[in-house]
Amino acid sequence: MIVAEQRPDPALVAPFLNGAGLRLVHARPDHGAMRLARRRRPSLIIEEVQAPDDAGLAFRRQLRASPDTREIPLIVVTAAELRARTDEAHAQAVLVKPIDGGDMFREVRRFLPLPRRRSTRYGVNLRFEFGGDREGWRQAFSRDLSIRGTFLKTDLQPALGSRFDLRFHLPGSSAAIVCRAAVVHVRSGNDPASGHSTGFAIEFEELEEIDAQRLEHYIRLHADTSD
């Protein structure tokens, strides 16, 4: 269950949640979130604290006060300046923005039966373009590719959690795959002996269903190793 006063950060509805066979429900803290929690008894609640509002605080207090919901695990996501507003929540985890995909996965996996973080990867050297029309487009080549993301070989060191537009072509296809991407890991230094390259790992976000199907089909046909 995702609780947010306004439209939640896209990282809260990460691809690994959508692809794990889970049923996600959304609610606002002042519009029936407590009733929904009592009725559905979700396995986990992720609440994004977007402002120092009384509605969110009241929801967290009610959640812990009610015998029907007090045992439901709670992960709170908030900005650093609002961190103090979450202390009364008795949350199992508090994540401070920008959200790191790896941290989110590890915390969620404590309470939900998720698949392994890494999916089958195919070693492939594809050209990716990332950035946007305003900041300009950059290029990098991939080390590998999975249905969830890729590792780009580059000397650039973006901040964890940073996001940008992404586009690339699968071999044999003239239609580009276009989506948003989030940086989930950054590696500095190059070690050819271990196969580690300087660059960063990204997770695909807002991937169109048809593009996700194309990508999954390509990976299944060509992958010869798995993590």
Side-chain angles (χ1 to χ4, degrees), residues 38-163:
R38 287 195 180 105
R39 186 170 73 249
R40 293 290 189 93
R41 301 286 184 89
S43 299
L44 173 67
I45 294 175
I46 302 174
E47 183 190 8
E48 182 180 13
V49 178
Q50 299 169 320
D53 61 304
D54 292 333
L57 183 60
F59 166 72
R60 293 188 293 277
R61 286 174 173 170
Q62 292 172 23
L63 188 74
R64 288 303 178 230
S66 171
D68 295 331
T69 60
R70 63 172 54 140
E71 300 301 324
I72 297 176
L74 173 66
I75 295 176
V76 173
V77 177
T78 186
E81 61 270 20
L82 299 177
R83 174 67 175 81
R85 300 287 294 182
T86 68
D87 289 342
E88 294 184 39
H90 302 291
Q92 276 66 34
V94 177
L95 300 179
V96 176
K97 298 180 182 181
I99 304 170
D100 177 80
D103 290 342
M104 173 68 82
F105 181 85
R106 283 188 292 272
E107 294 298 341
V108 170
R109 197 178 185 189
R110 292 168 55 195
F111 311 105
L112 298 178
L114 297 176
R116 293 186 63 189
R117 175 72 173 93
R118 293 181 177 179
S119 57
T120 301
R121 292 180 178 269
Y122 170 52
V124 61
N125 192 42
L126 297 180
R127 185 181 68 178
F128 282 74
E129 296 179 299
F130 60 95
D133 293 334
R134 292 183 60 185
E135 62 269 33
W137 290 89
R138 298 174 180 265
Q139 295 185 3
F141 286 86
S142 62
R143 184 186 68 192
D144 51 41
L145 180 67
S146 79
I147 60 174
R148 293 194 177 96
T150 185
F151 185 93
L152 298 180
K153 300 177 292 185
T154 174
D155 291 333
L156 293 174
Q157 302 283 285
L160 285 174
S162 57
R163 289 176 171 78

